[in-house]
Amino acid sequence: MRLAGGRCWHVLCAGIAALVAIVVLCATAQAEDLHPRLETAVDGQSLIAALHIVIPAEFHAYGHEPGEAGRPTTVALSVDGGRPLAVHYPEGAVQRDFYDPTATVNVYEGNVAFYATLPADAAGKPFVADISMLLCSNRKCMPVNEQFTGVIPRESPPINKMPWLAQWHEMRQQPPIVASAAHTDATQEESGSDDISDEIWANENAQPNGVWADDIVNKLPPPDGFDVRLSPRFLDDALEISGLGKALLFGILAGLLLNAMPCVLPVLTFKVSGLLMVGGRDAAGLKRFRQHNLCFAAGVMTLFSALALVLGLADLMWGQLYQNQAVLMVMLLVVFLMGLSTLGVFSLPVIDLKTGANSKNPCLQAYFTGLVSTFLATPCSGPLLGGVLGWAFTQPLIIVMVVFWAVGLGMALPYIMFCIWPDFARILPKPGAWMHVFERIVGFMLMGTALYLLSVLPVERHMQVLTVLLVLSLCAWLWGQYCGITAPPLRRKIMSVIGVGLLVASVFWVLRPVAPLPQWRQFSPEAFEATLGKKPMLLEFTANWCPNCKFMEATVLTDERMRKLQARYGMELVRVDLTNANAYAVRLLDALGSKSIPLTALFPAGDEANQPLVLRDVYSARTLEQALNEAYEK
C-alpha cells in the first residue's frame, strides 16, 4: 500500500501524537504538610512524648531502618536548647521498593508516631523537633526537612488514658536511638520553611526494574552529610572545552560522528540512494534530491532545538529523557513500526523507509525522517560529545541552545552538502535490486533495536509490552490489508479509529500506575523461629503442582489485597513452597494438623503465637479478612 491512501493516516498520526503527549506529560502528585503534633503523658516517674505526623496519601516514608533501599527517617527532639533525646522509632511495614522491586524496604504510611522520654523538668519548656525523611509515591520522591517547635505542656495525663499506650509499651522494648549531630546541623540549616521541597527525585533503577515513573527525574538524594568536592583530571586536556568557540567546533564534529552511531545508522541506511533511484539523475530528480536533504536537515535541527529547550530548562543530562518509561515506550513503538514497514507488513506514512517509497508530500516525509533519526540518536553519546555537553550544561540557556545547534548542524552536515553539491551522491553505493534484500536486513536490525529497548524496560512489564506490540502488529497488518488505495473511505476511517483505539488502550494498560507488590519471604526454619511471637505472620503452603493453590493466589491471595492487608496488620508474609521435598515444611504442616494443601496459617504476635488460626483448602476473600481480624485484632 502506498501513501496515496493517506487521508485517514492523518487521523492515525494525530492519535499517536496525542498519545505521546499524554504519556510524556503526566500529572505530578502533590504532597501535603506532615501535620506534626506533640502529646505528652506520665508513665510512672517518666514523662513520655509522642510526636505524631501524617504521611500524605499515596506517599510513604522510609523507616529509620529503611532496609535495602531509601533514605532513613530521623527525628531530632531537643528540649530547651539541650542535646537531642533518644527516640523510639516504629519498625514500619515491609514491602518492595517502588523503584527497585528486588529490594525489601520498611516504610511508614498514614499516621506515624515517634516516642521519647523527656527530662523530668521538661514541663513548660520549649522544644524543637527536626524531622528528616524521604517521601515517595509510585511517581516521584521528595526529600522533607521540617522543623516543629512548641512548648511542653505543664500538665500531662496518665499514659493509660492515651490511645497510643499499647504502641508505646511495644516500642519501648526496643533501644532508643539518638540523632547524629551531623543530621541535626544539616536539618536545621535546611528547615527554614515548613513547606515540603518541590525538588523531585527518583531512583535510577526505575529504568529496568522499577515501577514505571511518569516524571523525568534525577537520582535519589545522597544521605545527609554527603558532600564530595573533587578536582578531576582528564587524560587528554586538549579535548576539554574551555570556551564557546571550541565548543562549537567540537559540537559540529560530534554531531557529524553521530551519523555513524548504532542508534541512528539503521534509519539512515541507503535512504538517500533510494531516493536517487526513484528520481533519476535528471534535473527533476536532482531537485527532489536537494529538497529531500534540505527537509531532512530541517528535521534534525528542529529536534536538536527542542532537546536544548527541554534539557536546559529541566536541568537534565543528554540521554536522561530515556530514564522516563513513557519515552522509552514511545521510542519502542516507533522503532517496531519502522521494522514492520521495512519488512513489508504495511507502509508506514511520513517516515516510510522502504526503497522507492512514493509520497504525496516527500518534503514532509524527509522532515519527519530527520526528526526520528535524531530522536533515535539521543541515547548515543559519540566521541567528543560528552565534553561538549558537559561544558554547555554549565552555561546559560542561550549558550546551551547555540551548542545544540552546532551539534545538530554537524549531524545534518552530510545532507546539507548533498543539497549544495548533489554530485557527492556518487560516493554512495549504486542503487539496484539488491536494495530490496538489504531493506529486509534493515528491518531485522530495527527489530533487534526494539528487542534492546524492551530489555531496558522493567522485567515484570515485559509480557504487557509484548502484548502491546502484538496489538500494534495486528493494527499494522489490518491497515496494510484493508486500507489500501482502493479501499472505501468509510472503511479506512473505521480502521483508523479502531487501530488508534486499540493502541491507546493497550499503552495506557501498560503505563497505568501499579501499586508495589507485597513482599513474600520464602520459608526457612531459622527465620520462622526467630519471628514467631514477635510479629504477626501469615504462612501460605503452596506448590507449583497444586492447581487449587494457584487458584487461591490468583483470586484471594492477590498482590493488591495482600499489600493492603500487610499494611493494615503489619504481618510477615511467608510462602512455604512444597514443589520439591522439604522436610521442615512437611513437619510444620504436620504440626498444623494437616496432610494436604492449600493451607494458610495465621500466627499472632505475643503469647498466643503457638495457637495459630488455620484456614484449610479453598476459601473466600471475606473468610480471609474475618480470620485475620479474629487472629490479630486481639
Side-chain angles (χ1 to χ4, degrees), residues 106-118:
N106 304 311
V107 300
Y108 300 148
E109 295 178 321
N111 297 315
V112 183
F114 309 93
Y115 298 92
T117 301
L118 299 177

Side-chain angles (χ1 to χ4, degrees), residues 77-203:
L77 177 62
S78 59
V79 177
D80 198 22
R83 297 179 64 83
L85 303 174
V87 175
H88 296 268
Y89 293 88
E91 292 184 357
V94 179
Q95 70 174 41
R96 292 183 183 177
D97 189 48
F98 276 133
Y99 300 106
D100 183 3
T102 64
T104 303
V105 293
N106 304 311
V107 300
Y108 300 148
E109 295 178 321
N111 297 315
V112 183
F114 309 93
Y115 298 92
T117 301
L118 299 177
D121 60 347
K125 293 184 178 181
F127 71 87
V128 175
D130 291 306
I131 305 169
S132 176
M133 61 176 54
L134 185 67
L135 289 180
C136 288
S137 71
N138 63 345
R139 299 187 177 207
K140 65 179 181 180
C141 290
M142 297 186 297
V144 175
N145 294 288
E146 185 163 321
Q147 188 174 88
F148 173 49
T149 60
V151 177
I152 305 294
R154 294 186 178 277
E155 300 292 334
S156 299
I159 199 166
N160 58 10
K161 293 186 178 181
M162 307 306 291
W164 38 268
L165 171 64
Q167 187 181 28
W168 159 243
H169 282 168
E170 177 184 351
M171 290 178 58
R172 72 177 179 179
Q173 304 302 321
Q174 304 295 329
I177 300 171
V178 180
S180 65
H183 158 74
T184 306
D185 295 341
T187 307
Q188 289 174 349
E189 289 176 5
E190 296 173 2
S191 57
S193 169
D194 287 346
D195 294 334
I196 293 177
S197 169
D198 292 330
E199 189 169 3
I200 300 172
W201 308 78
N203 194 305

Side-chain angles (χ1 to χ4, degrees), residues 269-278 289 428-431 435:
T269 306
F270 295 101
K271 182 64 183 174
V272 176
S273 57
L275 182 63
L276 277 179
M277 186 178 69
V278 175
F289 179 62
L428 296 172
K430 201 169 184 179
M435 292 189 63

